[in-house]
Amino acid sequence: MCSHPHRHDGRAHRPAALVAGAVPLTLALLATGCEASTTPTAADAQADDVFSSVRFSLGARGDIQVAGSSRTAVTRAGDRTVTGGRAYPFDRPPGKLLVVLRHWPSPSGQRAARDAVRLLPPPDDVAIESAYLVDTGDWALAELDGHPVQWLRRDTIRVDTTKAGAVGRTHLTLSGPRGRRPGQVTPLPDGRECEGVDPAVNRYVVLPEVESGAAVPEVLARLRERCLDVQYVSMPGGGHRGTVRSIEIPVAGHTAPVAELPPPDGAAQGHLPGDEILTDPSRPTTVLVIG
């Protein structure tokens, strides 16, 4: 218990004197190790609500798991079947981050046993997109299998596991802190130059320069400059983990489904940077990241 001396000089203490001495008295209590009693404030409650981290884990057949200290900031936004690689246009409310995870349907019964050793699903399967809304509050860093790929705020991120086969799981982690993203991250276009682009109309795009082993933010910026939506795929392969292995841009009205950059070795008629192609914006451009 802390005690403090009282004056015994017989003089009365006026209320004004007590008010004037309130601040010095509080400082004295803290200086002597006695803390003034406090109650939780609105600022304390707000600090508890700061977005920290959430992790999505899934396989090629779904089985989506959500974990992390901020998992309560995640709400389901529905499941939709997609055909021909076309992306479903989920609604994204203002201030929210939209996560879209593409996978094959979960097998059941006899089908599950028959597919146990199959790496790729049968061609009659239709892919499913599972969407989640995340209240990150501000900037959040997205990591794919532990590798940073993009800073996000009021945006959409897509991850495709249909190309990865049935072995292993893909992990997408969103983490704070709130506030401004680091200045060294390659800035992305703010989207205003893409406001007039109709996602339902095919359009011509000049292919960008893409090198195997390039940093993901650099390649992403080049794709965003061309108003291309992207989805990420984590794939094993040679090279530095967490870098770009290649990209696939959908081609409209052509027998080839995608333009792959850099062109695969031995390709007789591959697309080259600087070529102009007619794209199908309803299918996202795929960024294959070395996992």
Side-chain angles (χ1 to χ4, degrees), residues 119 144-145 147 160-161 163-170 212 233-246 287-291:
L119 297 182
L144 185 64
D145 288 339
H147 306 293
D160 185 359
T161 63
K163 298 176 181 290
V167 179
R169 295 179 66 82
T170 298
S212 182
V233 173
S234 181
M235 296 286 286
H240 296 289
R241 299 181 63 186
T243 61
V244 174
R245 190 178 84 171
S246 61
V287 178
L288 290 92
V289 181
I290 300 175

Side-chain angles (χ1 to χ4, degrees), residues 96-167:
K96 299 288 186 176
L97 190 152
L98 175 63
V99 175
V100 180
L101 307 174
R102 181 177 293 192
H103 55 89
W104 298 111
S106 299
S108 59
Q110 183 179 358
R111 175 67 172 277
R114 191 168 66 246
D115 285 351
V117 297
R118 179 174 281 153
L119 297 182
L120 296 176
D124 57 343
D125 268 358
V126 178
I128 296 175
E129 288 188 338
S130 300
Y132 297 81
L133 294 172
V134 187
D135 184 7
T136 62
D138 214 313
W139 290 105
L141 177 63
E143 296 177 291
L144 185 64
D145 288 339
H147 306 293
V149 292
Q150 183 179 354
W151 282 89
L152 297 161
R153 182 176 66 172
R154 298 188 290 274
D155 205 340
T156 299
I157 184 169
R158 296 177 175 271
V159 175
D160 185 359
T161 63
T162 63
K163 298 176 181 290
V167 179

Side-chain angles (χ1 to χ4, degrees), residues 29 51-52 61 68 103 147 156 166 214 226 262 273:
L29 289 172
F51 179 83
S52 176
R61 287 291 188 177
H103 55 89
H147 306 293
T156 299
R226 291 157 175 80

Side-chain angles (χ1 to χ4, degrees), residues 259-283:
E260 184 177 351
L261 294 174
D265 295 336
Q269 295 180 340
H271 295 279
L272 298 175
D275 290 350
E276 187 176 60
I277 65 170
L278 184 66
T279 62
D280 179 0
S282 68
R283 294 188 290 149

